[in-house]
Amino acid sequence: MACDCIEKANSLLAPLNTKLSERLVAVRREGESSGFRTVIELGVEKIATRGKRPTQMLATFCPFCGVRYVPETTGADA
């Protein structure tokens, strides 16, 4: 991770028996190095009880400090 906000938040939430939901995701997008990374999963819920499952939302930037989890690469970096 680019920052330690998740660890800080989890240490503050621990006395409340709570922690942030993290997810390991595979990266296969063009311009990003492939492999796995850990991201924060943002909570979503269904609007209607019947129908499609809700989509998942995964943060690209830290929701606390705004630092990008994986730095953008330019053509020269790739």
Side-chain angles (χ1 to χ4, degrees):
M1 293 247 114
C3 62
D4 62 347
C5 294
I6 295 169
E7 290 82 16
K8 288 179 183 177
N10 281 338
S11 67
L12 293 172
L13 292 169
L16 303 171
N17 193 30
T18 306
K19 71 175 188 168
L20 297 173
S21 176
E22 296 180 64
R23 169 123 349 155
L24 184 66
V25 295
V27 178
R28 293 190 209 120
R29 291 189 176 167
E30 186 176 327
E32 294 185 29
S33 58
S34 12
F36 295 95
R37 65 178 172 180
T38 302
V39 296
I40 290 294
E41 180 180 12
L42 304 175
V44 296
E45 60 184 62
K46 288 175 84 169
I47 296 171
T49 55
R50 301 185 80 170
K52 295 181 182 179
R53 294 187 336 193
T55 189
Q56 295 176 349
M57 295 187 64
L58 304 174
T60 305
F61 294 83
C62 174
F64 304 105
C65 70
V67 172
R68 186 175 176 87
Y69 285 139
V70 179
E72 287 191 78
T73 58
T74 62
D77 295 339

